[in-house]
Amino acid sequence: MKKTMLAALLGLACASAFAGVIHFDDLPGEGTTAIANGYAGFNWDNLATIQENAFPGSGYEAGTVSHANTAYNMNGGTAAIWRDGSFDFTGAWFTSAWVDQELAFEGWREGQLLYASDVSTVIGTAAPVWVQLGWSGIDTLVIYNSSGTQWAMDDVTVDVPVSVPEPASLALFGAALAGMGAGRRRKRLR
């Protein structure tokens, strides 16, 4: 019981982080509904998911790395991934849905441009291309394309840093521990 309470209090005192790969495989993948804001802790502008077998022989099928769904830019234009608070964008797999095209990327934080890709990444329809950016401390990733048509994106690798507890949170945590200790002592005295 004591260890359980301590773990719960630690969880409340410290914000958790997400580090990993977003696969999109737990979404319906019907192709017409935008990815809901809040999915995997991010907001998704102009992005939906589609099943890998929706268009056999297309870049959607070739670009589905984790097998089930891939994300894509719904209207063929610019797309963005953003959140309140910063994140690190390692990279993702990209494939063009229909025609070869070029992608360019920007990383923003609080309205300031921090990163911009030096060269465009060329993607085709036959196989996914890993785009590794390694950008840290951004709150928005913008993805531009040259063709005005759809591209597929899968296995997005991100890291949301752990936020350090504020002094007030630490004081509250300490008070809770002291209260637990005092409560245990009273129980023993009875």
Side-chain angles (χ1 to χ4, degrees):
M1 172 87 173
K2 183 178 176 182
K3 287 181 182 178
T4 305
M5 290 295 288
L6 181 60
L9 286 171
L10 279 173
L12 290 172
C14 301
S16 62
F18 172 83
V21 180
I22 303 170
H23 301 285
F24 308 105
D25 297 331
D26 57 341
L27 297 176
E30 81 283 343
T32 57
T33 304
I35 299 172
N37 285 341
Y39 174 72
F42 291 87
N43 296 307
W44 308 84
D45 290 340
N46 190 34
L47 289 162
T49 57
I50 192 166
Q51 295 176 357
E52 69 181 316
N53 60 0
F55 295 97
S58 71
Y60 296 126
E61 183 178 42
T64 306
V65 176
S66 59
H67 297 294
N69 298 329
T70 186
Y72 76 101
N73 58 333
M74 291 178 67
N75 69 12
T78 301
I81 303 167
W82 61 278
R83 69 182 304 274
D84 293 331
S86 67
F87 67 97
D88 301 338
F89 180 82
T90 302
W93 291 97
F94 289 90
T95 310
S96 182
W98 309 111
V99 297
D100 291 356
Q101 60 181 298
E102 296 179 21
L103 298 180
F105 302 87
E106 291 179 348
W108 295 79
R109 182 176 57 218
E110 297 176 1
Q112 298 292 322
L113 179 65
L114 296 183
Y115 305 98
S117 52
D118 294 334
V119 295
S120 296
T121 301
V122 177
I123 58 173
T125 60
V129 173
W130 174 253
V131 177
Q132 182 162 341
L133 297 176
W135 292 349
S136 61
I138 63 174
D139 60 22
T140 304
L141 175 72
V142 181
I143 307 165
Y144 301 96
N145 66 332
S146 63
S147 68
T149 189
Q150 287 83 16
W151 43 258
M153 172 180 69
D154 206 1
D155 287 8
V156 176
T157 304
V158 294
D159 182 26
V160 177
V162 175
S163 51
V164 177
E166 298 174 13
S169 297
L170 289 175
L172 180 62
F173 177 66
L177 283 177
M180 283 176 47
R184 271 185 87 62
R185 269 187 250 126
R186 284 187 196 143
K187 273 186 173 179
R188 285 185 191 159
L189 295 175
R190 288 184 191 177

